[in-house]
Amino acid sequence: MKKIFKPGSRLIIVFILTMVISGGILTWLSIISISNFRQLTEKKVAEEQLSIIGQVALKFQQKLEDITNNFTAILIKENDVDWSAVKYSDTVDCVENPFIINRSGAFIWPWYLEDPGEVAGKVSSAAYRQDFQDAEKNEFQDWDYSKAAFYYRASLRHATGKPDSAKSLNALARIQLKIGNTGRAYDYYTQITSKYSSVLDGNGFPYVYYAILNFLKSNDSIYTSRILTEFESFLSGLTNGTIPLNNSTSEIMTQIAEWKNNTRISDDNQFPQSDEYIQKINGRLKFINNYNQILKTSINRGIIREYPLILGRFNVMNEIPGEPGKIILIEPDEEYIFGFCVGLDQVMSHIMEINYCEYTEFEYDIILVKREENGSKNTNELITSAQFSPLFPAFMIRIELKDENLVDIYVKKRSWAYGIALILLLGAMLLGILLILRDILREKRLAHLRSEFVSNVTHELKTPLTSIHLFAESVLLDRLNTESGKKEYLQIILNETERLKRIINNILDFSRKESGQIEYRKEKVNLTDLITSALKDLNYWLDEKKFTVQTELEENVVITADRDAMKQVVINLLDNAIKYSGDNNEIYVRLVSEKDKISIEFEDKGIGIPADQLDLIFEKFYRVNETIRDGVSGTGLGLTVVKEIIEAHHGELLVESKVNQGSKFTILLERNTIE
Ligand code: ADP
């Protein structure tokens, strides 16, 4: 059975099929990945957003740990609690309203007197009590204020403790106000504010408050600066805890602020800190107001320890009604309970400062939102929100792309890049296939030429050998009578041998060139002589075929070249002119030397070369079809060798030819490179 494909072409078909299949798969995969690219990008965005949420949660937790560590570092020294340090602990970043309460829920810091009531004090002396009773009788029953003042002063002398003194001074001030002696009254009040600022009356109300309330009533400008000083020490006492807060403090704060507004104080700097104090005090009052009840209830029901324990020793109260953005950290294990408040906003402001987008492909906005407000926004796929801390269940972190169009642009860019890369790849594959096919065709043609070459060579060698054989035999058998006849035969044998030599030289040269062994020996060569001698060598053939050779040779044109190689060039070109002249036996040889160029022309009026084969005749083994049909023998190597030699001498070989009109081969040599 005849094989359809030769083994070589089978391999090529397998190769091309592989290319086509892999190209197809690649194209298919690329198209799929381009069309999935949007989905992939959105997935990437979601992944990046989740990773940011994870980081935010982690940083948040770390920040809370830092806060508690810093707070404990201030308050707890070598495992003992330094209660007094709580005053300064609000300097710790993010610590708000540090507090201490006792086991019954009363605020010790900030010092707050919750329910005024009977206060058990030191028992006063009998003399004091007598004087004070007399004084009150005079003041409230008899309205004899001077006598009342007299007894109050006596009581003051019999006072045995601070509460007694403060009580008497307060009464004395009151009497002075009643009799219209404001100056004296203020003197008494000043004694209270300066010496008895923390002393409470029988109902647990600080005497200082009476003094301040009375100062507030003053609208006489002569007392302004004195009152200002009083207010300043009152506010600073409240702030640093030497004067207790109670449920009227807030009202007094409002009044002091109003008084300041109403009283034209010439120099603001007289009391610059007042606003700051008032703000601080109001803050504490607000905190007490908000958390007093809840703390008390928790203590009474003993549930403080049931709050989630986080960050080591702190229990956390969160979800406090009306305060979703706050948590209270409580340490209930000591004799007193201490703790502080942490505001979400403040912690978040630190968390948001961190750049989470350093390693992400896209830029994101990170937003803190309330859980209930978040619902509507989540329909968009490019937004991710999640809880970031179990301590703030009412809040979420929402991560949005800074610019939603970025995804579109990104997808478009990538798709283009993929598309172009794919087209280039397919193009390269196609080019590869074409190149391979071209190589295969060339190989095929060469193989064909090579096989023709063998039969051509055989034929080429056979012709002269047959002549040599024939003529040698004739001479040997003495078939010729005359000496001149014998000589002629021997001459023919010699010429045929020369021709054989030329053929073999061409083959040898070609094979040497193929294996890269050719070397040229440069020497001075007289081209004029060389051409003349070549013509002489071929004289026999020219004569035999009755050629007219016209030469225009410039005298003594000398170049540096390989003599033998140059001769071979000239002989090959003349030999071709003889072989392919058909019936027009005219040959023209011209040697022209110009300033920097030398040209040698070999022109015949023979069969010519078809234009489409003009480039091919220089290829190895190539022979024009017609010449083969006409029975002109040759190896297809003559011009290959000529071209190789000329190029090795940095020259050019040109051909002009027209079918049936003749051919002209021109050699151009540059004088510079030769000499
Ligand atoms: P060969 O002459 O041995 O065939 P060459 O390499 O010398 O090989 O020439 C290649 C082919 O070029 C020849 O077969 C011939 O067809 C063509 N050719 C060369 N010289 C001439 C010429 N002067 N006139 C016409 N055809 C030519």
Side-chain angles (χ1 to χ4, degrees):
M1 206 177 88
K2 198 182 159 201
K3 281 190 180 171
I4 302 174
F5 299 117
K6 287 186 198 150
S9 35
R10 237 184 342 213
L11 222 106
I12 292 155
I13 288 167
V14 170
F15 170 76
I16 292 175
L17 271 179
T18 319
M19 288 289 249
V20 169
I21 291 170
S22 57
I25 293 174
L26 210 72
T27 316
W28 183 65
L29 286 177
S30 303
I31 289 171
I32 286 184
S33 75
I34 288 173
S35 61
N36 284 347
F37 204 65
R38 168 163 290 278
Q39 253 174 308
L40 286 174
T41 313
E42 283 174 2
K43 212 170 144 203
K44 187 184 181 139
V45 167
E47 273 168 13
E48 286 189 348
Q49 288 173 332
L50 278 178
S51 126
I52 291 176
I53 288 175
Q55 287 177 57
V56 170
L58 188 72
K59 295 277 180 221
F60 190 82
Q61 178 69 14
Q62 283 170 352
K63 183 69 194 170
L64 282 183
E65 274 170 34
D66 284 352
I67 297 167
T68 52
N69 286 342
N70 294 343
F71 179 75
T72 359
I74 285 205
L75 218 62
I76 299 173
K77 301 264 152 61
E78 291 163 6
N79 266 347
D80 275 338
V81 181
D82 174 10
W83 300 107
S84 62
V86 81
K87 286 186 192 180
Y88 317 111
S89 61
D90 59 355
T91 52
V92 174
D93 183 28
C94 292
V95 167
E96 291 172 24
N97 293 303
F99 64 86
I100 303 171
I101 45 180
N102 63 18
R103 289 275 156 197
S104 52
F107 271 92
I108 293 169
W109 179 267
W111 184 14
Y112 182 73
L113 299 170
E114 199 170 345
D115 307 309
E118 212 47 42
V119 174
K122 217 174 121 190
V123 181
S124 312
S125 67
Y128 179 87
R129 271 181 286 151
Q130 188 55 56
D131 288 339
F132 207 87
Q133 259 177 25
D134 289 346
E136 279 184 325
K137 188 175 165 286
N138 278 303
E139 181 184 357
F140 297 112
Q141 281 178 19
D142 306 339
W143 295 314
D144 185 345
Y145 294 139
S146 66
K147 256 192 176 171
F150 171 78
Y151 283 114
Y152 279 136
R153 273 196 295 274
S155 75
L156 187 60
R157 283 192 296 277
H158 290 117
T160 49
K162 284 186 172 184
D164 286 351
S165 308
K167 192 175 170 185
S168 302
L169 287 168
N170 191 46
L172 280 167
R174 188 173 64 232
I175 292 289
Q176 293 305 327
L177 284 176
K178 279 181 180 171
I179 59 175
N181 197 346
T182 313
R184 285 295 299 280
Y186 283 3
D187 289 344
Y188 286 124
Y189 279 137
T190 304
Q191 282 194 55
I192 291 176
T193 56
S194 57
K195 288 193 230 157
Y196 306 107
S197 63
S198 58
V199 178
L200 313 180
D201 72 1
N203 296 317
F205 198 79
Y207 284 107
V208 180
Y209 279 52
Y210 295 115
I212 296 301
L213 284 167
N214 279 306
F215 284 136
L216 277 167
K217 286 180 192 148
S218 157
N219 47 17
D220 192 338
S221 63
I222 57 161
Y223 299 118
T224 303
S225 95
R226 178 175 179 177
I227 290 172
L228 263 176
T229 319
E230 289 294 340
F231 285 166
E232 183 175 5
S233 69
F234 176 64
L235 291 176
S236 97
L238 286 173
T239 310
N240 62 34
T242 53
I243 302 173
L245 306 171
N246 65 17
N247 56 12
S248 57
T249 318
S250 164
E251 175 57 25
I252 294 178
M253 290 303 106
T254 319
Q255 286 190 29
I256 291 177
E258 272 173 17
W259 182 90
K260 262 189 75 188
N261 273 346
N262 296 339
T263 315
R264 249 175 260 121
I265 302 162
S266 54
D267 183 3
D268 257 359
N269 286 337
Q270 280 192 41
F271 189 12
Q273 267 180 305
S274 70
D275 289 342
E276 204 181 297
Y277 283 143
I278 291 174
Q279 212 180 353
K280 215 165 191 178
I281 292 159
N282 281 338
R284 285 180 193 169
L285 288 167
K286 191 173 163 224
F287 173 75
I288 292 165
N289 205 25
N290 286 351
Y291 295 101
N292 198 2
Q293 209 45 52
I294 192 163
L295 283 170
K296 204 164 272 176
T297 318
S298 302
I299 292 167
N300 284 344
R301 288 168 54 204
I303 54 169
I304 281 197
R305 277 199 190 81
E306 288 166 23
Y307 287 118
L309 186 73
I310 60 139
L311 313 165
R313 55 202 298 168
F314 287 90
N315 291 79
V316 180
M317 275 172 84
N318 61 351
E319 297 186 85
I320 304 151
E323 294 279 0
K326 301 262 187 215
I327 52 173
I328 297 189
L329 305 182
I330 310 158
E331 154 69 277
D333 286 342
E334 302 289 337
E335 182 192 348
Y336 294 103
I337 293 163
F338 68 86
F340 60 97
C341 188
V342 172
L344 177 62
D345 286 343
Q346 242 194 312
V347 181
M348 264 303 159
S349 68
H350 288 281
I351 302 299
M352 297 294 194
E353 274 171 11
I354 301 164
N355 177 16
Y356 297 94
C357 300
E358 206 174 338
Y359 300 109
T360 55
E361 182 87 44
F362 301 102
E363 289 268 306
Y364 299 95
D365 281 329
I366 302 167
I367 307 156
L368 178 70
V369 283
K370 284 208 170 134
R371 184 181 278 276
E372 68 260 24
E373 288 166 10
N374 189 46
S376 59
K377 266 269 184 179
N378 245 5
T379 46
N380 191 325
E381 282 164 7
L382 298 175
I383 293 175
T384 305
S385 37
Q387 196 181 309
F388 58 94
S389 167
L391 302 180
F392 290 94
F395 291 89
M396 297 180 100
I397 283 287
R398 191 166 71 211
I399 319 284
E400 297 179 5
L401 272 170
K402 269 215 162 87
D403 180 0
E404 269 183 44
N405 294 331
L406 273 184
V407 170
D408 279 341
I409 296 167
Y410 181 78
V411 169
K412 244 183 226 160
K413 261 194 200 161
R414 282 289 165 103
S415 304
W416 269 105
Y418 267 81
I420 290 169
L422 182 70
I423 289 167
L424 287 178
L425 192 74
L426 290 178
M429 272 178 151
L430 205 73
L431 197 76
I433 292 175
L434 288 178
L435 284 176
I436 285 166
L437 283 178
R438 201 187 69 162
D439 268 13
I440 290 164
L441 287 178
R442 184 187 284 169
E443 245 343 282
K444 253 184 158 174
R445 203 178 64 210
L446 260 179
H448 173 71
L449 288 177
R450 222 176 271 135
S451 75
E452 272 191 353
F453 166 75
V454 176
S455 72
N456 286 342
V457 168
T458 324
H459 188 254
E460 184 83 335
L461 293 177
K462 224 164 140 188
T463 324
L465 273 176
T466 316
S467 311
I468 291 169
H469 183 91
L470 213 82
F471 288 105
E473 203 178 45
S474 300
V475 175
L476 198 69
L477 295 178
D478 231 358
R479 284 194 191 128
L480 295 158
N481 304 329
T482 57
E483 258 322 289
S484 65
K486 255 187 214 169
K487 210 171 171 186
E488 191 189 332
Y489 275 28
L490 286 172
Q491 185 62 48
I492 294 172
I493 292 172
L494 204 64
N495 288 328
E496 291 292 356
T497 324
E498 279 297 320
R499 196 169 144 205
L500 268 181
K501 214 165 102 187
R502 278 202 307 275
I503 297 166
I504 289 164
N505 268 349
N506 273 345
I507 297 172
L508 274 180
D509 261 23
F510 168 73
S511 115
R512 256 189 262 139
K513 182 209 134 200
E514 287 283 277
S515 58
Q517 287 171 0
I518 211 152
E519 258 181 44
Y520 296 102
R521 274 179 293 113
K522 302 274 171 87
E523 60 188 304
K524 292 245 184 265
V525 178
N526 187 321
L527 269 184
T528 325
D529 292 351
L530 188 132
I531 295 169
T532 318
S533 127
L535 280 167
K536 213 167 169 192
D537 289 353
L538 293 172
N539 210 13
Y540 170 79
W541 306 102
L542 293 165
D543 274 356
E544 197 198 29
K545 294 189 178 170
K546 307 215 166 33
F547 267 93
T548 51
V549 181
Q550 291 193 27
T551 55
E552 289 170 34
L553 304 177
E554 214 174 288
E555 289 290 312
N556 283 328
V557 178
V558 179
I559 59 164
T560 309
D562 185 305
R563 181 188 302 278
D564 292 344
M566 273 300 165
K567 180 117 181 234
Q568 203 175 352
V569 165
V570 175
I571 296 247
N572 278 359
L573 291 174
L574 284 172
D575 195 30
N576 278 352
I578 298 168
K579 277 201 293 188
Y580 305 113
S581 270
D583 299 329
N584 272 335
N585 297 347
E586 291 169 40
I587 292 180
Y588 300 87
V589 184
R590 293 179 203 96
L591 169 66
V592 182
S593 165
E594 284 168 12
K595 201 171 151 215
D596 51 358
K597 274 218 158 78
I598 290 166
S599 87
I600 318 165
E601 289 175 9
F602 299 90
E603 192 178 348
D604 61 64
K605 302 288 173 196
I607 61 172
I609 304 158
D612 59 340
Q613 296 181 52
L614 274 177
D615 283 339
L616 298 172
I617 54 173
F618 301 103
E619 274 185 24
K620 55 189 175 189
F621 312 130
Y622 192 86
R623 306 200 66 222
V624 177
N625 278 339
E626 286 84 56
T627 57
I628 300 164
R629 259 189 273 123
D630 290 348
V632 183
S633 66
T635 56
L637 289 178
L639 285 179
T640 316
V641 170
V642 169
K643 191 169 163 64
E644 204 280 322
I645 294 172
I646 295 302
E647 278 172 2
H649 285 79
H650 312 290
E652 256 182 294
L653 176 63
L654 309 171
V655 57
E656 295 162 53
S657 183
K658 277 201 175 133
V659 177
N660 294 330
Q661 287 185 27
S663 315
K664 183 163 98 177
F665 286 85
T666 310
I667 296 169
L668 289 176
L669 294 169
E670 275 182 36
R671 197 182 271 282
N672 291 349
T673 50
I674 303 160
E675 282 169 351

